[in-house]
Every structure is written in C-alpha cells, then in structure tokens.
Amino acid sequence: MKKIVAPLLEWYTANKRNLPWRQDRDPYHIWVSEIMLQQTRVDTVIPYYHRFLAALPDVQALAEADEDLLLKLWQGLGYYSRVRNMQKAAQLIVTQYSGQFPQERAELLKLPGIGPYASGSIGSIAFGKPYPAVDGNVLRVFARLQNDRTDIASTTARKNTENLVESLMPEGKCGDFTQALMELGACVCLPNGEPKCAVCPVREYCQAHAAGTADELPVKSSAKPRRIEEKTILLVRCGDRYGLRRRPKKGLLANLWELPWLEGRLNADDLIAQYGQVLTLPPEPLGEAKHIFSHIEWHMTGYLLHVSAEADFPGVLWFDSVEIHRSLSVPTAFAAYHRFIPF
Ligand code: SF4
C-alpha cells in the first residue's frame, strides 16, 4: 500500500476542491468543518460554515455563546448533540488549555464530541500529526484497494484500517494525506457500486479493480431496522400568532422548539372530537411527511388548527412568524409543516 502515497498526494494537490476550510490550518476552522461534515454533505455545510464562523469566530466566542444562538446556527444540520458537545469542548479548551487547542491525540480525545476520527482529522490537518482519520469513506477506499471482504462496520476493519493509515502517513504531509484519502472517497472511489476507476490515481495498485470486484465492495452488515413512530403534527394558529413549545431538556432534539403533536396518525374527525369547541375553522390537512433519524423514523400527518383564543390551547408559547423564523430553532423534522408559517 505504500505505493499509493505519492500518486495520491500528487493527484490531491492538482485536483483538490477549493473548500472554505482549506484556506488555512486554524484548528478551530478544521474542527468546525469536520463536525459539520459528519452526516452532512459538503454543499450543505458551506453556507452553515460561513454563518457559524461569522457569528462565532473563535473558541472563546463559541464557549460563551447563548444556547439559542448556537441552536439557530445549527438549525437544519440535525444531530444537535454535535454542536452542544462543541460548546462543552470549547469551554474546556478555554478553561483548561488557556484557549489553545490541544495537539496530542490523548488530549483531543478528552474533549466532548471528539472521537478517533475527529482527533485524527484535527491532529493531522491542523497540527501535522500522523494520526489516522478513518470514516466510512476511508474504510471503503481501503476495502477496495485491498480487495478485503471484512465487514467495514466491524471493529476489526476499523482498527486494521487505522493502523494501516497511520503506517502510511508521509512525514511532513500528514494533513494532505488525510485530506487526499477523504477526497478520493468523496470524488472518485464513490459508494454504491459506482467507483470512477477510470480516473483514479491509484488504480494501478487497486486489488479490487484488478479482480473486477470494486462494485461488490465494501461489505457492510446492515444496521438494525429503525423504529417507526407515527405522529400528528399541529400547526396551531390564533390570529397572526402560532403556538410552539420547547422539547424536553434531554433526549432527541433536546431543548429545541417544536410544533405541538399527538401520538398516532389522527384524522380531522379525531381532531374535531378533541378540539372542536375551540376551533374557529375545520382542521385543514397539511399533508403527510416522513423524517428519518439514525434509529427512528417519524411518519407524520399534519393539520392547521385555527383557535379562537391563545388560552384555548395550553402548553405552548405564542410567537409571530418573524420571531419564529429569526429566533427559534425548529428542527428539520418539522420542516414539512413549519414551512406553512409565512416569513
Ligand atoms: Fe476505488 Fe476504483 Fe480507485 Fe480502486 S481503482 S481505489 S475501486 S476508484
């Protein structure tokens, strides 16, 4: 595998995408981008990255940020624990490391939200350390390069790949090597049986390409099926104001704002039976929607309810549409109904 290093670096230098977090090696910039990029596509991340850095330009600003601002900056990216952990880590960096990012892997791993992958990417890209950053892309690339049928969801595959990447790290170019592997996985050695082998800089050394098995790799055991939860989402309106509530402080989408909802898929008659006395118009269907989390799927139906007085629908706080769009973090799970609130 040593032979892949030089052509891969050469290809990366000539072909790398011009991404905003590649303009410098500031660990804060690398960190923000790496955490945003977990589970999220590059195109989606770019505007979020610019907005986040404009509002919170350094570790100190992140450590001191108001939670509502933080959640608003993350709205739409999902997996909100990522940004909460970033703030906890920023507070530790300020209090325990005098505001300077630690460089050693053991220290990086102590920070909330920084696991083996992020410690590898921050350590190698920002500080030039030979720490491997192995994610699904890198596992796929090496499964193909070595024509290896080990399940990439297994600890064995991850450990083996981390050891291999660490052994390949070129002195003085660790950050470039990390990014070159990421770039190869993102742009050439694509998932779902669609690798672009014809333009691959390491084709010559690829055992799956030689064996004609690239389309079959990697092998990955399927995840457990997601639990399905059915919900009826209520867009409750009184005059020009809408009723929203905070989610619980712990658990899924903790402390974010949500539209009120009821368990199960209810129809208009069910809602009239429950709220008929306070409705000024019949419930208006807003359609069906689905939202997929890592372990759960919400299958939703939604209704617009016009109520006669705010006090008729307890358990929510009332906001006009500008306040909702400017200040409240409403997770994407509710986007199919949140979009009916005019801006
Ligand atoms: Fe991936 Fe094809 Fe390159 Fe092998 S030759 S690393 S399968 S793109």
Side-chain angles (χ1 to χ4, degrees), residues 93-242:
I93 293 169
V94 168
T95 55
Q96 297 191 6
Y97 299 94
S98 312
Q100 299 300 310
F101 238 90
Q103 299 195 12
E104 299 307 316
R105 180 157 43 188
E107 298 299 311
L108 286 166
L109 285 168
K110 286 182 192 163
L111 298 173
I114 296 193
Y117 173 78
S119 68
S121 53
I122 297 166
S124 63
I125 300 170
F127 304 122
K129 302 276 187 183
Y131 304 157
V134 172
D135 66 354
N137 281 327
V138 176
L139 286 166
R140 180 176 65 254
V141 167
F142 280 101
R144 288 173 174 165
L145 282 170
Q146 300 178 104
N147 198 20
D148 184 346
R149 291 191 169 271
T150 309
D151 178 0
I152 61 161
S154 67
T155 314
T156 311
R158 182 167 296 275
K159 272 278 139 225
N160 288 347
T161 310
E162 282 173 354
N163 291 341
L164 176 59
V165 172
E166 191 159 1
S167 74
L168 296 177
M169 280 290 181
E171 214 183 317
K173 295 200 166 165
C174 297
D176 278 358
F177 188 59
T178 292
Q179 295 186 86
L181 283 172
M182 291 174 179
E183 198 78 347
L184 189 73
C187 301
V188 177
C189 196
L190 301 176
N192 304 322
E194 291 180 16
K196 297 180 178 173
C197 302
V199 295
C200 178
V202 291
R203 183 178 66 235
E204 202 183 325
Y205 311 106
C206 179
Q207 294 172 32
H209 178 64
T213 55
D215 291 355
E216 301 161 19
L217 292 167
V219 171
K220 186 176 181 192
S221 57
S222 48
K224 271 204 305 192
R226 295 188 194 94
R227 186 175 80 238
I228 305 228
E229 294 184 356
E230 302 207 314
K231 297 183 187 298
T232 300
I233 311 294
L234 305 177
L235 181 58
V236 189
R237 181 169 181 172
C238 183
D240 285 336
R241 283 154 57 98
Y242 296 83

Side-chain angles (χ1 to χ4, degrees), residues 233 235 268 271 279 281-287 302-306 337 340:
I233 311 294
L235 181 58
L271 296 173
L279 297 182
L281 289 168
E284 188 181 319
L286 300 177
Y303 287 88
L304 173 61
L305 301 183
H306 290 271
Y337 306 109
F340 287 102

Side-chain angles (χ1 to χ4, degrees), residues 226-337:
R226 295 188 194 94
R227 186 175 80 238
I228 305 228
E229 294 184 356
E230 302 207 314
K231 297 183 187 298
T232 300
I233 311 294
L234 305 177
L235 181 58
V236 189
R237 181 169 181 172
C238 183
D240 285 336
R241 283 154 57 98
Y242 296 83
L244 278 81
R245 63 189 184 192
R246 278 264 199 201
R247 287 183 59 81
K249 282 194 183 314
K250 295 232 176 295
L252 184 71
L253 306 175
N255 222 21
L256 297 169
W257 289 91
E258 67 174 3
L259 305 182
W261 51 268
L262 301 167
E263 294 286 359
R265 290 238 268 232
L266 306 183
N267 61 31
D269 289 341
D270 297 326
L271 296 173
I272 289 169
Q274 195 158 338
Y275 299 110
Q277 294 196 336
V278 299
L279 297 182
T280 57
L281 289 168
E284 188 181 319
L286 300 177
E288 309 276 309
K290 194 197 279 192
H291 189 80
I292 297 176
F293 299 95
S294 50
H295 304 300
I296 306 171
E297 281 183 35
W298 283 2
H299 291 192
M300 299 170 280
T301 188
Y303 287 88
L304 173 61
L305 301 183
H306 290 271
V307 297
S308 45
E310 292 180 1
D312 287 339
F313 198 95
V316 295
L317 296 177
W318 295 88
F319 303 93
D320 65 35
S321 58
V322 174
E323 288 174 296
I324 292 170
H325 288 292
R326 290 237 170 100
S327 314
L328 303 190
S329 296
V330 181
T332 309
F334 295 92
Y337 306 109

